[in-house]
Amino acid sequence: MANRTSGVRRVALASSAGNAVELYDFLLYGTATALVFDKLFFPTFDPRIGTLLAFATFGAGFLARPLGGVVIGHFGDRIGRRSMLVLTLTATGLCTALIGVLPTYDSIGIAAPILLVLLRIVQGFFLGGEQGGATLMAVEHAPPGRTGWYGSWTFLGSPLGLLLANGAMAASTAVSGDAFLSWGWRLPFLFSLVLVGVGLYVRLSVEESPEFRAVRAERGTARLPVAEVLRRSWGKVLLGAGVNLGFNMFIFVLATFVVSYGTRQLGMPRSELLNAGLVGAAAQAVAILVFARLSDRIGRLPVMLGGAAFLGLFAFPLFWLLETRSPALVLVAVVVGFAGSAAVFGPMPAYYAELFGTRVRYSGVSLSYQLGAVLGGGLSPLIAVWLLGLTSTQESWPVAVYLVFGALVSAVSLVAIGETLRSPRTPEGAEASR
């Protein structure tokens, strides 16, 4: 029993470490978008238009994520989870490092933003296949009654990735000083190569999912997993996307748009917002574990539905606190936002795994999760910037209304799906027992 527990922990830690590296790569781009990309890659435009274009490139990475989820999910269900996770980690890290050596608009003109978008799209493609596989490795190794707990270790990679991204950007700001725009911003992107090496070392030390091995030996793999998912469980794919949509809208407005809004609109120091993000990411990491364990005890639905309610109720207070410009209240706003959102985020790995059967789970989880990510997270910073410009005085209430709408979508989707905790994880899927 001790050996099994140790093995599960090793797998969960490997999933978390790899996911942290990939989220570092992806979220670092969001931080750089909020701070420097408009000046470096879109300098000929009006500042607001430049910000919109920079956030549009941020969203481009999300557009490729569902496709990556389908393609990599297909091979994850056919070949195995482990090999796909090694591929996604390596490719995402290389894209990030290449962004770090990319010439700017002043050097090569329009080719600079074009190359930036292409790298972002490739990065998003591989991340689209990462998160579904990483969660399944942890969940499919976990013992009964602990899937929420061990699955949540994977999503610790998100706040840890944000912690690393904001920390690296804050450190490079301090080191480079006035030279931040010329070369300092590149350092965090190049540092990705070091993190990828660490992530690969950890990931290569774990075994393939036991559930996948058992199904492959007993029944064989599905010929076209995504087609089977869409034929038998298309409703769950769409509703699962709805659950993630509201969370992603909230978290990417909080993690990226708030940095841009605080520095440009409210005139706050960049370091103050980045440091608040660091504390918020740490708070979210703790909260993820708490809410995931609670979902093992009382069910996914009450915990995640409570989280969806928080996303809507806190939308207006978030901006009220930010607009005080008080360092203490801004810190409270960011920390509470990150911690409260974990009620939706923490149980997600187990929740999505319980929606689909083992033979098609990689494809089903990746497609459903990534559709919600692209519709929510990929577009939310861009939409938030656009909504901010709807009022003559750049008021924040349209953005808050937008977040309330996303929270309602998540809540309705959760109620429509219902409780998943007792759904058996069978080769045919939970739907086979209903």
Side-chain angles (χ1 to χ4, degrees):
M1 186 66 169
N3 288 338
R4 181 180 179 184
T5 300
S6 176
V8 172
R9 288 174 179 169
R10 185 171 62 252
V11 171
L13 285 171
S15 296
S16 178
N19 199 240
V21 174
E22 295 221 50
L23 266 296
Y24 168 85
D25 294 335
F26 206 73
L27 295 169
L28 176 64
Y29 190 101
T31 305
T33 298
L35 296 176
V36 299
F37 279 174
D38 60 327
K39 303 177 185 69
L40 297 174
F41 293 94
F42 305 97
T44 61
F45 293 90
D46 172 86
R48 182 171 177 270
I49 300 301
T51 302
L52 279 169
L53 290 171
F55 276 124
T57 69
F58 175 76
F62 281 85
L63 294 176
R65 282 171 65 166
L67 178 61
V70 169
V71 174
I72 296 171
H74 169 84
F75 290 104
D77 282 326
R78 295 276 297 169
I79 300 172
R81 288 45 165 139
R82 182 175 175 270
S83 57
M84 291 300 102
L85 292 177
V86 170
L87 171 65
T88 58
L89 179 61
T90 304
T92 306
L94 288 176
C95 286
T96 302
L98 287 173
I99 291 173
V101 298
L102 198 63
T104 63
Y105 188 92
D106 288 342
S107 299
I108 60 173
I110 192 66
I114 291 174
L115 290 172
L116 181 69
V117 171
L118 288 175
L119 286 172
R120 179 63 173 175
I121 289 172
V122 175
Q123 187 189 57
F125 175 87
F126 284 102
L127 185 65
E130 152 69 21
Q131 290 174 304
T135 61
L136 295 188
M137 283 291 283
V139 170
E140 291 180 350
H141 275 85
R146 306 279 286 183
T147 53
W149 170 252
Y150 284 114
S152 71
W153 289 26
T154 305
F155 275 5
L156 288 178
S158 182
L160 291 177
L162 181 62
L163 195 69
L164 287 169
N166 279 10
M169 194 63 77
S172 65
T173 299
V175 168
S176 60
D178 294 337
F180 179 73
L181 282 178
S182 61
W183 57 267
W185 70 272
R186 299 181 183 276
L187 298 179
F189 287 88
L190 297 175
F191 183 61
S192 172
L193 292 176
V194 177
L195 295 178
V196 167
V198 174
L200 285 175
Y201 174 78
V202 174
R203 274 206 171 156
L204 289 169
S205 68
V206 301
E207 297 180 352
E208 180 59 85
S209 155
E211 287 191 26
F212 174 79
R213 292 201 311 266
V215 167
R216 182 171 58 184
E218 295 171 8
R219 303 177 53 84
T221 57
R223 189 171 66 89
L224 289 173
V226 71
E228 189 171 324
V229 165
L230 293 176
R231 185 176 69 251
R232 303 183 61 182
S233 305
W234 62 269
K236 288 183 179 179
V237 169
L238 294 179
L239 290 172
V243 172
N244 198 25
L245 181 146
F247 167 76
N248 264 261
M249 283 170 59
F250 182 91
I251 205 64
F252 278 100
V253 165
L254 181 62
T256 60
F257 170 76
V258 161
V259 177
S260 174
Y261 176 69
T263 54
R264 288 173 170 79
Q265 185 68 18
L266 302 180
M268 298 169 61
R270 179 172 55 209
S271 59
E272 186 177 304
L273 292 162
L274 289 175
N275 290 336
L278 292 175
V279 180
Q284 189 184 54
V286 175
I288 281 173
L289 294 173
V290 172
F291 286 119
R293 189 68 187 110
L294 184 62
S295 77
D296 279 334
R297 296 178 181 274
I298 68 172
R300 318 291 182 220
L301 184 60
V303 176
M304 297 179 72
L305 196 56
F310 167 83
L311 299 181
L313 292 173
F314 192 63
F316 280 93
L318 169 64
F319 287 98
W320 295 339
L321 290 168
L322 291 172
E323 287 158 6
T324 66
R325 296 178 174 83
S326 163
L329 293 179
V330 167
L331 179 63
V332 168
V334 174
V335 170
V336 171
F338 273 109
S341 64
V344 179
F345 197 41
M348 267 191 184
Y351 176 81
Y352 279 101
E354 288 159 355
L355 291 178
F356 305 100
T358 308
R359 294 178 74 230
V360 299
R361 187 174 290 143
Y362 203 140
S363 297
V365 170
S366 296
L367 181 59
S368 183
Y369 183 88
Q370 298 303 340
L371 279 176
V374 67
L375 295 174
L379 300 177
S380 58
L382 177 65
I383 292 173
V385 172
W386 176 73
L387 290 172
L388 196 64
L390 290 182
T391 61
S392 58
T393 55
Q394 303 269 300
E395 294 181 24
S396 62
W397 66 263
V399 183
V401 171
Y402 172 63
L403 295 182
V404 171
F405 168 76
L408 287 173
V409 172
S410 287
V412 170
S413 300
L414 283 164
V415 171
I417 291 173
E419 184 57 72
T420 64
L421 179 58
R422 294 176 181 82
S423 296
R425 300 208 307 269
T426 65
E428 286 76 23
E431 70 273 13
S433 65
R434 297 185 178 183

